[in-house]
Amino acid sequence: MFALWLLGAAAVAQENVTPRGPVDPSSPVEEIVVVGDPFARWDGTRWYVATELVTPLGLQLQSDENFGFWTHAFQLRSVFACEKDWKLGKHRFEVHCTIEDVGLLAHSRQKTRTAAQRARVEQVLAELDAKLTGADVQLQVKDDGSVTNVDIEGLTRANRREGLIAETLRQLVSRMALGFHMRIPDGAARAGKWAEYNSALMSMPSIQASNANSTVMHFVNQYKGQRLVQTVGEGAVAVPIPASALQDDRVSLDGGSEASTDAAPTMASGVQGSGNGNVLDIPATYKLKLDGVAVYDPDSGIMKERVWALNGTLTASSPGSERAAPYLHAGKIRLLDADERPDVGETRQVALPGQQLEEIALWQSIQP
C-alpha cells in the first residue's frame, strides 16, 4: 500500500497548481540533483502496479475455447520485475519485465444471472490470469522517462482467435505500463515546470488508431525531503465507435439472445451504423483531464511512486453524447523492496461501478 504521506501530497499538489502555482523556473534553484543513469529504474527493480479502466468502448475478453464477453470496467493489480536488456542507441533501451503475479477484476456486459453464466466469465478471467502470470513484457524506454512501445513475448498467434487474445493481453499490459511514462528532463532534478505534448498517458484504447491532442504540465517542488512532481493535463481524443456495441449487450454468455439489464451504457446506443457495418460514420470526441502526483528520489533521480487519474467526457457534438458513459483511467505504481510481496488480490467478476448485482462482487476503486 502506498505511503500515507503521498495521499497528503496529492492535496498539496492541487493547492500548488491553482491559484498559487509552483516555483517559477526563473527563480534561483537551491539544489540540483545529478542523475548518473537515466535507466536506473529498470536495473533489477520490482514494482507494484495497479490500474483501473472504465470505458464506453469496451474490450472483448476471450478464452482459448469459444467463450468470451465484453467488459466496460476492469482492474489490474500486478508485480513487475524489470531488467535492462539491450541498448538500442544513445537514448533508448529495451527492457524486459516479468509479471510475477496479477489479479484481474472485470465486469461483464452480457447477462450473468445464472451460475453457469458466471462460471463462463470466471473461466475466461482465469485463463487470462494464467497467461499474464509469468509473462515476459518487452518495453522500449527512453532516457527522458518515456515508454515508447509495449509488447508481450512468446504469445502464439497461429489463428485469428489466438491473435485477438494476444492483442487483448497486450492492451491490458499497455494500460499497466502507461503509469511509467513521464517525459521529464533530468530526472526531476530541478525545480520548475515544463510541458509535455501528446503524452501516451493521455490516450484511450480503440479498435482503430485514435486522433489525440493534449498538453501536460509538470511542476517540480520539494516536499518532505523528496522531489514532488505534480502533473495536470488537458486534451481531446477522437475515436471511432464500434457498431458491435449495438448488438453485444443483447447476447448472453450461453449464446442466447436476450435483453441485458446490467449492460453498460455505450456511446453507440441508438446510433445508426455506417455502410461498411464496422464503425459509425462520425468519430466520438472526448475531452480529457489528467491529474497526478509522482515522487522522485533526490539521490538517484528514480521515480519511486506515482498516482494518477485521467477522466474523459464526451463532447456535446459527438453521437450518443446524451447517454454515453464517461471514460476513466486511474492507477498507482510503487517501487518495491527486494523482499516485498504485495497482495495483488483475486481474479474474479465484479459489477459496474455503482451497481449492486446478486452473487457478484461490488466494484471497489483503487483510488483513495
Side-chain angles (χ1 to χ4, degrees):
M1 182 177 292
F2 281 90
L4 294 178
W5 62 263
L6 184 57
L7 303 181
V12 173
Q14 288 287 3
E15 293 179 3
N16 284 346
V17 172
T18 57
R20 186 171 64 244
V23 176
D24 189 279
S26 62
S27 62
V29 178
E30 297 180 359
E31 177 187 8
I32 298 177
V33 178
V34 178
V35 180
D37 181 6
F39 299 103
R41 66 170 170 163
W42 307 110
D43 197 2
T45 54
R46 297 172 61 253
W47 302 84
Y48 173 75
V49 183
T51 189
E52 65 183 19
L53 198 75
V54 180
T55 171
L57 289 175
L59 182 68
Q60 190 175 25
L61 304 181
Q62 301 180 78
S63 66
D64 291 336
E65 297 184 27
N66 194 27
F67 301 133
F69 64 93
W70 281 86
T71 181
H72 287 273
F74 59 87
Q75 296 180 1
L76 289 149
R77 294 174 175 84
S78 61
V79 176
F80 276 44
C82 299
E83 291 279 357
K84 292 188 298 185
D85 196 355
W86 299 100
K87 193 168 185 178
L88 303 177
K90 184 177 180 180
H91 302 287
R92 190 186 301 265
F93 243 101
E94 182 177 292
V95 173
H96 282 257
C97 298
T98 300
I99 300 179
E100 294 183 348
D101 199 4
V102 67
L104 171 59
L105 306 177
H107 132 275
S108 171
R109 190 163 83 194
Q110 281 90 341
K111 290 174 65 65
T112 56
R113 288 182 175 175
T114 69
Q117 291 170 335
R118 292 192 293 273
R120 293 285 174 86
V121 172
E122 298 296 339
Q123 176 183 340
V124 173
L125 294 176
E127 285 194 20
L128 295 178
D129 183 311
K131 291 178 185 292
L132 287 172
T133 302
D136 179 11
V137 178
Q138 180 192 94
L139 306 177
Q140 291 188 8
V141 302
K142 297 181 68 176
D143 57 4
D144 64 359
S146 59
V147 179
T148 59
N149 192 40
V150 180
D151 200 4
I152 304 177
E153 298 289 296
L155 296 179
T156 59
R157 296 176 172 85
N159 54 53
R160 183 174 182 273
R161 188 173 189 83
E162 288 182 347
L164 290 173
I165 293 173
E167 177 56 24
T168 296
L169 292 172
R170 195 191 69 82
Q171 288 281 351
L172 293 175
V173 171
S174 294
R175 292 298 113 182
M176 290 190 282
L178 279 179
F180 291 106
H181 176 96
M182 182 184 286
R183 191 176 294 118
I184 194 166
D186 302 325
R190 297 173 180 268
K193 65 179 180 180
W194 55 89
E196 178 183 354
Y197 300 100
N198 299 324
S199 169
L201 193 58
M202 296 279 286
S203 64
M204 190 170 177
S206 172
I207 58 173
Q208 296 183 7
S210 59
N211 182 16
N213 183 21
S214 64
T215 300
V216 176
M217 295 299 300
H218 299 292
F219 306 95
V220 177
N221 283 306
Q222 292 277 6
Y223 182 77
K224 294 187 176 180
Q226 305 288 332
R227 291 197 173 271
L228 182 71
V229 180
Q230 310 154 39
T231 297
V232 293
E234 292 185 348
V237 58
V239 293
I241 305 173
S244 61
L246 295 170
Q247 306 164 0
D248 291 318
D249 61 357
R250 297 186 62 87
V251 180
S252 65
L253 287 170
D254 55 10
S257 179
E258 54 186 340
S260 172
T261 59
D262 56 5
T266 67
M267 68 172 83
S269 299
V271 183
Q272 297 299 315
S274 64
N276 61 23
N278 293 323
V279 296
L280 300 181
D281 292 322
I282 303 174
T285 301
Y286 270 78
K287 294 177 63 177
L288 303 177
K289 182 179 180 181
L290 174 68
D291 292 287
V293 181
V295 176
Y296 280 74
D297 187 302
D299 296 323
S300 65
I302 295 177
M303 181 170 63
K304 301 195 304 181
E305 301 183 58
R306 188 183 192 186
V307 295
W308 74 92
L310 175 65
N311 291 277
T313 55
L314 201 61
T315 60
S317 60
S318 293
S321 60
E322 70 280 1
R323 51 176 128 10
Y327 172 68
L328 167 68
H329 177 213
K332 311 173 181 180
I333 62 174
R334 177 169 64 89
L335 181 63
L336 297 174
D337 295 331
D339 58 350
E340 195 171 356
R341 299 291 184 271
D343 182 12
V344 299
E346 299 178 88
T347 290
R348 63 179 180 178
Q349 181 184 357
V350 292
L352 275 175
Q355 281 192 339
Q356 293 187 10
L357 301 175
E358 188 176 352
E359 303 294 335
I360 297 176
L362 294 175
W363 174 278
Q364 295 183 343
S365 176
I366 65 173
Q367 299 187 75

